[in-house]
Amino acid sequence: MKKRFYLGMVMLLALSMILAACGGDDNGGGDNGGDEGESNPDFIGLATGGTGGTYYPLGGTFANLINDETGINTDAITSNASAENMAMIDNGEAEVAFVQTDIASYAVEGTQMFDQPIETIRGLATLYPETIQIVTTADSGIESVEDLAGKTVSVGESGSGTRLNAEQILEVHGMSFDDMSVQNLSFDDSTTGIQDGSIDAAFITGGTPTGAVEGLAAQVDVVIVPVAEDKAQELINEYPFYSTDEVASGIYGLESAVPTVAVQAMLAVSSELSDDLVYDITKAIFENTDSITHPKGEFISADTALQGIGIDVHPGAQRYFDEQGVEAE
């Protein structure tokens, strides 16, 4: 009798262990042989930038596409853009975020404005050129970068990629923030300040046309200060993530194209998201580019989505691009 009792207890214990093992940890990631993460959240926060930039309107479109494809409620969140967005992914305030390629690299490396590496960031895709625009008016008399000396200039919000772009452009011109009265303003506040005369010029990094600058151009004659070819090349030699670019004629009422430089806008995602979810997010965006009404939509393509990405790509996004035959350059 005792033997049968003990045997029964052993068999019951063994069955309980087997059932526990089969139950596993169901966090929604599935068993796909090596997920980066296992998280399928109930809500996806998509960190963008200020309402006057390019990230915010594009983010609204992307949020709708992601919501439709995944069924997960997705919201575009305003922020101070690139650097803050990396912190938002790291502390769980956002799952997807816009960021400049240079800032994403700094975040992963733990350099510049980042005290230590952020290990939770992965690349999803690059999107379009982020043009550095030095904005002023015809009445300011500012025609060159050197003319900014002694002026009141907005260099972007504290911690933003724009601020670092401004610092690096001034550097190759033998200048620094000490040569001017610096303001740390959003794009909207920058253009408002130019219009009311409280500042003379502003650095704005964003896809052209940028909404805040379009609004300014409707009120005054906008001037974009050029970055000369030799200075652009010097900048590229020092910081290879830059490329030459221009603000095309017709934008902001410009009569001719203005040479400048650019970095790339990209989307980053949390490494905690499952491969399947990131695959669905990537697919939602790149198979619905015809839904992007912003002028920068013409640059957003799977064919170029890995160009200059600079950080490790999330396996879920990589799976999608592998299926499309897209390779990094």
Side-chain angles (χ1 to χ4, degrees):
M1 183 69 177
K2 288 184 178 181
K3 287 184 179 180
R4 286 199 300 270
F5 174 77
Y6 288 133
L7 180 59
M9 290 295 293
V10 170
M11 291 178 67
L12 181 61
L13 178 60
L15 179 61
S16 298
M17 293 176 66
I18 291 170
L19 290 173
C22 290
D25 181 16
D26 185 7
N27 289 326
D31 181 11
N32 58 13
D35 265 4
E36 179 80 6
E38 290 293 330
S39 175
N40 281 359
D42 296 325
F43 172 85
I44 294 175
L46 199 166
T48 61
T51 56
T54 304
Y55 289 171
Y56 185 73
L58 273 180
T61 299
F62 290 170
N64 290 335
L65 294 175
I66 294 168
N67 185 83
D68 291 345
E69 178 71 21
T70 67
I72 299 174
N73 186 30
T74 305
D75 191 25
I77 305 168
T78 59
S79 72
N80 289 332
S82 291
E84 182 179 12
N85 289 354
M86 298 299 90
M88 290 176 72
I89 284 182
D90 194 44
N91 62 28
E93 293 181 67
E95 286 71 38
V96 185
F98 283 83
V99 62
Q100 294 172 198
T101 48
D102 53 336
I103 305 305
S105 293
Y106 297 149
V108 170
E109 295 165 359
T111 57
Q112 296 293 348
M113 69 280 286
F114 299 97
D115 294 333
Q116 57 188 14
I118 298 179
E119 299 179 353
T120 54
I121 297 167
R122 298 292 183 271
L124 187 145
T126 54
L127 301 171
Y128 59 86
E130 289 261 48
T131 307
I132 289 85
Q133 306 162 70
I134 307 174
V135 182
T136 187
T137 67
D139 292 338
S140 72
I142 298 171
E143 298 180 352
S144 67
V145 175
E146 289 83 357
D147 289 341
L148 296 173
K151 304 293 185 179
T152 301
V153 181
S154 172
V155 297
E157 294 177 288
S158 297
S160 68
T162 298
R163 196 176 197 279
L164 195 53
N165 298 146
E167 184 176 18
Q168 291 164 345
I169 288 172
L170 291 172
E171 175 189 310
V172 299
H173 286 83
M175 301 170 66
S176 72
F177 291 159
D178 293 338
D179 294 311
M180 58 197 68
S181 176
V182 167
Q183 298 288 315
N184 298 116
L185 304 176
S186 69
F187 294 169
D188 283 329
D189 289 343
S190 293
T191 53
T192 298
I194 291 173
Q195 185 175 344
D196 66 23
S198 60
I199 66 172
D200 301 299
F203 283 81
I204 291 180
T205 300
T208 57
T210 304
V213 186
E214 284 187 304
L216 178 65
Q219 304 297 322
V220 299
D221 292 330
V222 163
V223 168
I224 304 296
V225 179
V227 176
E229 182 179 352
D230 61 329
K231 294 301 183 182
Q233 192 56 56
E234 187 177 340
L235 185 70
I236 293 166
N237 290 343
E238 182 69 22
Y239 304 103
F241 43 74
Y242 283 101
S243 60
T244 57
D245 197 8
E246 65 177 27
V247 181
S249 63
I251 294 179
Y252 313 136
L254 298 175
E255 295 183 357
S256 58
V258 179
T260 184
V261 292
V263 291
Q264 288 282 320
M266 66 175 285
L267 285 176
V269 296
S270 170
S271 62
E272 298 300 314
L273 297 183
S274 73
D275 291 5
D276 288 343
L277 177 56
V278 176
Y279 175 91
D280 288 342
I281 291 172
T282 310
K283 181 178 180 179
I285 293 170
F286 287 98
E287 296 195 359
N288 293 282
T289 54
D290 57 345
S291 300
I292 302 172
T293 57
H294 191 281
K296 283 302 171 188
E298 67 178 286
F299 295 94
I300 299 173
S301 168
D303 293 339
T304 58
L306 297 181
Q307 291 182 2
I309 197 163
I311 64 173
D312 289 343
V313 177
H314 193 289
Q318 187 65 59
R319 190 208 311 170
Y320 175 80
F321 293 123
D322 286 345
E323 290 178 357
Q324 309 308 309
V326 178
E327 296 182 0
E329 294 187 8

